[in-house]
Amino acid sequence: MSYNTFGQMFRMTTWGESHGPAIGCIVDGCPPGLSFRLDRDVQPFMDRRRPGQSRHTTQRREPDLVRVLSGTLEAADGTHTTTGTPIALQIDNVDQRSKDYSNIAQAFRPGHADFTYWKKYGIRDHRGGGRSSARETASRVAAGALARLVIGALAPDLRIRAALIQMGARRIPDALWGGAWTTVDIDKNDFFCPDPITAGHWATDLDAIRKDGSSVGAVVEVVAEHVPAGLGAPLYGKLDADLAAAMMSINAVKAVEIGDGMAVAALRGEDNADEIRMSPTGEPLFLSNHAGGILGGISSGQPVICRFAVKPTSSIRTPRRSIDEAGNETDVSTKGRHDPCVGIRAVPVGEAMMALVLADHLLRHRGQIGS
């Protein structure tokens, strides 16, 4: 078992630390013959997650340029073609400031993984959190870009998009819930928010939160449309189980929902059941989507809807009570550059994890069913 690898047939292994010389990933199981360009098919996704693009995210300046080290043949025009062998991707770290973390070299940040990493391994990388840093997610976005190549080959109509639907206690209007928004709208503000009015409120809220030296949580919704029916398997190969594991594996995520999620507990059976009729084209037509596009662990052909909650950033200037490695009580105030709401940059990460799961399941489905 590898604790740094995700997926079965389409596998991603990430490596590197937040303040090391580089981070990256190895993607194994990618079919041969898929062509891509870094500037067209990979870098745009990296740029959406990249830090330092607004006052609402960490001011760490990382270009997040991806280099391909293996697994492709590169043409003179910059086009890479996959060879079926492991694809190694590298992203250099260029703007680390490790001295900002000198005051927590021995102390544990409350709410952070400092204490648990130290208890498990007996050693931890305090510089930005090492592997527990949100910096690791850049590798996931790079791998997710390659996963979209597989999706494009096997399910060309499939579309993945995500948005920030809640920050703190303020949520977008209910009328926009469930994916009734467009990517164009989302990219017009700093929050990947489908509602510009809510985005304006969030900007004001976050300015005050940053001034207070604090942070705030958020909810991200990821929607995959035109997902073929039949992906996943009963019991131990459930599509929703793999989606939940994927989203929960993102640093700082504390809850995951599929479809109506926890809200189904308040429904009656007749309200929760997604009734079916035949459409004029002769295809099944679901009259609702409480299940989030997955029934019995298998995709139904409806949009797959997943949400995850991101906790407030643990690295804050407000002093909090803690202990150090020697067991001494202390107060911890974290210096440096941090996201006051790490959920903002989690939006493209959620898209990437959805892509990784769907690419893996498309390949697994082809291997089991033969089509």
Short mmCIF file of all heavy atoms in Angstrom, two decimals, residues 5 7 47 51 54 75 98 115 217 233 257 276 307:
data_model
loop_
_atom_site.label_atom_id
_atom_site.label_comp_id
_atom_site.label_asym_id
_atom_site.label_seq_id
_atom_site.Cartn_x
_atom_site.Cartn_y
_atom_site.Cartn_z
N THR A 5 -0.41 7.67 -2.99
CA THR A 5 -0.97 7.35 -4.31
C THR A 5 -2.48 7.30 -4.25
O THR A 5 -3.05 6.77 -3.30
CB THR A 5 -0.41 6.01 -4.82
OG1 THR A 5 1.01 6.09 -4.91
CG2 THR A 5 -0.99 5.66 -6.18
N GLY A 7 -6.00 6.35 -6.72
CA GLY A 7 -6.51 5.76 -7.95
C GLY A 7 -6.10 4.31 -8.11
O GLY A 7 -5.19 3.82 -7.43
N ASP A 47 -2.99 27.98 -13.34
CA ASP A 47 -3.14 29.42 -13.10
C ASP A 47 -4.37 29.74 -12.26
O ASP A 47 -4.38 30.71 -11.51
CB ASP A 47 -3.20 30.17 -14.43
CG ASP A 47 -1.86 30.17 -15.16
OD1 ASP A 47 -0.82 29.88 -14.53
OD2 ASP A 47 -1.85 30.44 -16.37
N PRO A 51 -1.29 30.82 -6.26
CA PRO A 51 -1.43 31.82 -5.19
C PRO A 51 -1.02 33.21 -5.66
O PRO A 51 -0.43 33.39 -6.72
CB PRO A 51 -0.47 31.31 -4.11
CG PRO A 51 0.59 30.58 -4.88
CD PRO A 51 -0.14 29.94 -6.04
N SER A 54 -4.74 37.69 -5.94
CA SER A 54 -5.62 38.72 -5.41
C SER A 54 -5.30 38.94 -3.94
O SER A 54 -4.57 38.14 -3.33
CB SER A 54 -7.10 38.33 -5.58
OG SER A 54 -7.50 37.43 -4.56
N ALA A 75 7.19 17.02 -29.40
CA ALA A 75 7.47 17.48 -30.76
C ALA A 75 8.08 18.87 -30.74
O ALA A 75 8.10 19.55 -29.70
CB ALA A 75 6.19 17.49 -31.58
N SER A 98 11.03 30.27 4.59
CA SER A 98 10.99 29.33 5.70
C SER A 98 11.21 30.01 7.04
O SER A 98 10.73 29.51 8.07
CB SER A 98 12.04 28.24 5.49
OG SER A 98 11.78 27.51 4.29
N PHE A 115 0.75 18.50 15.29
CA PHE A 115 0.82 17.56 16.41
C PHE A 115 0.71 16.12 15.92
O PHE A 115 1.48 15.25 16.32
CB PHE A 115 -0.28 17.85 17.42
CG PHE A 115 -0.37 16.84 18.53
CD1 PHE A 115 0.58 16.81 19.53
CD2 PHE A 115 -1.40 15.91 18.56
CE1 PHE A 115 0.51 15.87 20.56
CE2 PHE A 115 -1.47 14.97 19.58
CZ PHE A 115 -0.51 14.95 20.58
N GLY A 217 -13.94 29.46 7.00
CA GLY A 217 -14.15 28.26 6.19
C GLY A 217 -15.02 28.53 4.97
O GLY A 217 -15.48 29.65 4.74
N ALA A 233 -19.29 0.65 -9.12
CA ALA A 233 -19.67 -0.74 -8.88
C ALA A 233 -20.29 -0.85 -7.49
O ALA A 233 -20.05 0.00 -6.63
CB ALA A 233 -18.44 -1.65 -8.97
N GLU A 257 -20.34 15.81 0.83
CA GLU A 257 -21.72 15.43 0.54
C GLU A 257 -21.87 15.05 -0.93
O GLU A 257 -21.24 15.66 -1.78
CB GLU A 257 -22.69 16.58 0.83
CG GLU A 257 -22.82 16.96 2.28
CD GLU A 257 -23.90 18.02 2.48
OE1 GLU A 257 -24.12 18.81 1.54
OE2 GLU A 257 -24.52 18.03 3.55
N ILE A 276 -38.82 8.73 -12.37
CA ILE A 276 -38.33 8.58 -13.75
C ILE A 276 -39.50 8.49 -14.72
O ILE A 276 -40.51 7.84 -14.45
CB ILE A 276 -37.47 7.30 -13.90
CG1 ILE A 276 -36.43 7.20 -12.78
CG2 ILE A 276 -36.77 7.28 -15.26
CD1 ILE A 276 -35.68 5.89 -12.76
N ARG A 307 -20.22 18.12 -2.87
CA ARG A 307 -19.81 19.32 -2.14
C ARG A 307 -18.86 18.93 -1.02
O ARG A 307 -18.98 17.84 -0.45
CB ARG A 307 -21.03 20.03 -1.53
CG ARG A 307 -21.85 20.82 -2.50
CD ARG A 307 -23.06 21.43 -1.81
NE ARG A 307 -23.85 20.40 -1.15
CZ ARG A 307 -24.68 19.57 -1.79
NH1 ARG A 307 -24.80 19.66 -3.11
NH2 ARG A 307 -25.36 18.67 -1.13
#
